[in-house]
Amino acid sequence: MTPREVLELMKQHDVQMVDFRIVDVPGRQHHVTVPAAEIDEEVLEKGVAFDGSSVPGFRGIEESDMVMRPVLETAFLDPFTEVPTLAVSCNVYEPSGNRYERDPRYIAEKAEQYLQSTGIATTAYFGPELEFFIFDDVRFDATQNSAFYAIDSEEAVWNSGTGEKNLGYHVKNKSGYFPVAPTDTQQDIRTEMVLELMKAGIRVERHHHEVATAGQAEINFRFGTLTRTADTVMTYKYIVRNVARRHGKTATFMPKPIFGDNGSGMHVHQSLFNGDQPLFYQEGGYANLSELALQYIAGILYHAPAILAFSNPSTNSYKRLVPGYEAPVNLVFSRGNRSAAVRVPVAVVSPKTARIEFRTPDCTANPYLAFAAMLMAGLDGIRRKLDPTELGFGPINKNIYELPPEEKAQIKSVPGSLGEVLDALEADHEFLLEGGVFTKDFIRNWIDFKRNNELAPLHLRPHPYEFSLYFDL
């Protein structure tokens, strides 16, 4: 869209406010709202100023002046404001007019530019599948002398014996995929989320209840190019959370908010095209994959410990990545096998739909950074002509969870904590620096931010379960 077209859109819908949005380093959105009367073509081209020192992961107070410039093609009418409001994602700039190196969206764009510069492909397509929970109540706190969390859901199995009146049909653990109503209580709210996503310009393919009890859900949208798909993820999260709130509920994308049942992931489908030519398909190859696709897989699996610092960047991520809950902890690839970290879909596959699915990521990832890291790892595998079989990554065509111990011992697993993957990123990040996509400054900032703001505070605090283990010793 051009600035003039945006102004016409604002006039057509009687827009009174324009909401400029950026994404911080961890992956949360921030916004500045400007009255429509103050918006003209110059503002849409040059953007609006903001204080970068107040944005997590950006910069200090001594150099805080920054500018957000709207990416006009991302504009949509916000359905949750009382007055007509146009929301638009922005790129972050220095006052000098240069792009800001720590802007996650800039890193995603640089990854796409680097792909084209290699001559390997012109386009990388990403199709993430976001899982989330819709709860009826959530409470948590951590003080000097107490710590707790409590969640509730009307459909949760733990409510099968509660209340003055109980109608049954509660979702048992690992039984939420995917019974009809009355067991599925959230058909209508998911449908409303879908309709709002479609109004925002997102092409939705399907929605359904997911495996876990307590309102686990999934809404799938159409794949797209790397940066624009990351934009879609941010809009998707915004709409899901606010539709839930509209109904007096709360949505969370935490990987493991409940104990004893499946967690929520973000399986990421990926493919490369050269113009209109798909590059991942070769009839007769393993799962009809091309040699280039296998090299891409090898890059993903070889660099997986470092990738996870971006794709699974929370301490809670590693509560999900444990055996027994369909979590893809095994660093292998396989045809149609959901126990592998990289699955090759084989149902209804044609040359243009041939793709790989990296199943390990979750929704605490900043999508701009996670998708960029995956692409850079895959391209490194292609550049170095890595062979996943020679590296010991499969293929494994068995249910890995049921392998005998001697066979399972030969399979590499994902690291078990946020600290481990940050160490892995510290040791293995040269592939991310190719083409200036990531910078050493950004990676150092990311590692320090995670260690200082997440690992250290959590490490210092007593855990409630420790009282069960040790209070009487």
Side-chain angles (χ1 to χ4, degrees), residues 48-85:
V48 296
F50 71 99
D51 174 10
S53 68
S54 297
V55 179
F58 273 20
R59 64 195 336 172
I61 196 169
E62 73 282 359
E63 49 178 359
S64 58
D65 285 358
M66 309 195 79
V67 177
M68 57 175 82
R69 291 186 188 172
V71 181
L72 301 182
E73 68 219 45
T74 67
F76 70 98
L77 293 169
D78 191 323
F80 306 107
T81 54
E82 289 190 15
V83 303
T85 299

Side-chain angles (χ1 to χ4, degrees), residues 163-450:
E164 295 182 6
K165 182 180 181 181
N166 197 312
L167 299 178
Y169 294 101
H170 295 276
V171 178
K172 300 179 182 70
N173 287 335
K174 299 187 180 183
S175 299
Y177 189 84
F178 30 32
V180 298
T183 304
D184 180 3
T185 65
Q186 298 180 346
Q187 167 80 15
D188 289 339
I189 191 172
R190 290 196 309 271
T191 294
E192 187 173 326
M193 291 170 178
V194 167
L195 294 176
E196 294 293 6
L197 289 166
M198 293 170 64
K199 289 177 187 176
I202 297 171
R203 182 176 171 183
V204 178
E205 297 182 330
R206 64 184 66 83
H207 75 79
H208 58 83
H209 202 290
E210 256 300 342
V211 172
T213 188
Q216 192 181 34
E218 181 175 320
I219 299 172
N220 298 140
F221 61 85
R222 184 78 168 177
F223 65 87
T225 55
L226 190 156
T227 305
R228 289 294 289 120
T229 298
D231 291 336
T232 298
V233 168
M234 300 310 300
T235 302
Y236 175 112
K237 284 185 166 185
Y238 177 76
I239 288 175
V240 164
R241 287 170 174 150
N242 281 284
V243 169
R245 194 172 185 87
R246 183 189 280 170
H247 287 262
K249 300 179 184 287
T250 184
T252 180
F253 292 88
M254 275 183 70
K256 193 75 169 183
I258 63 175
F259 173 72
D261 208 341
N262 285 23
S264 294
M266 182 179 69
H267 310 148
V268 184
H269 296 254
Q270 302 165 53
S271 63
L272 297 181
F273 274 63
N274 193 17
D276 293 331
Q277 179 187 0
L279 300 180
F280 275 10
Y281 183 82
Q282 181 179 313
E283 188 174 356
Y286 177 80
N288 287 325
L289 286 183
S290 66
E291 182 180 14
L292 183 139
L294 292 172
Q295 293 168 350
Y296 189 97
I297 289 172
I300 292 280
L301 293 173
Y302 180 84
H303 294 295
I307 296 173
L308 263 62
F310 293 113
S311 67
N312 302 74
S314 71
T315 59
N316 190 251
S317 298
Y318 301 90
K319 305 289 195 299
R320 166 183 170 254
L321 292 178
V322 295
Y325 298 94
E326 299 186 23
V329 298
N330 304 292
L331 290 177
V332 296
F333 75 103
S334 185
R335 176 179 54 228
N337 187 343
R338 284 175 167 79
S339 65
V342 173
R343 182 178 77 98
V344 184
V346 293
V348 197
V349 172
S350 66
K352 287 195 172 183
T353 61
R355 62 197 186 277
I356 66 107
E357 176 192 14
F358 188 34
R359 294 177 56 79
T360 305
D362 65 56
C363 296
T364 57
N366 182 325
Y368 300 100
L369 305 179
F371 298 164
M374 292 176 213
L375 177 61
M376 296 301 289
L379 293 178
D380 188 61
I382 295 170
R383 183 175 61 85
R384 296 166 57 192
K385 300 188 184 303
L386 298 181
D387 185 322
T389 301
E390 289 182 1
L391 292 172
F393 295 129
I396 303 291
N397 298 317
K398 305 174 183 178
N399 184 342
I400 301 171
Y401 303 128
E402 297 179 357
L403 289 178
E406 59 274 14
E407 288 188 48
K408 200 167 185 178
Q410 305 301 314
I411 296 175
K412 300 173 185 176
S413 296
V414 299
S417 70
L418 178 59
E420 290 178 61
V421 299
L422 292 175
D423 290 345
L425 177 62
E426 201 165 40
D428 175 28
H429 59 257
E430 291 298 322
F431 70 100
L432 297 171
L433 304 178
E434 293 291 331
V437 174
F438 287 79
T439 64
K440 288 187 176 182
D441 167 76
F442 184 89
I443 292 171
R444 182 76 266 157
N445 180 58
W446 177 265
I447 293 171
D448 290 345
F449 184 93
K450 289 289 177 178

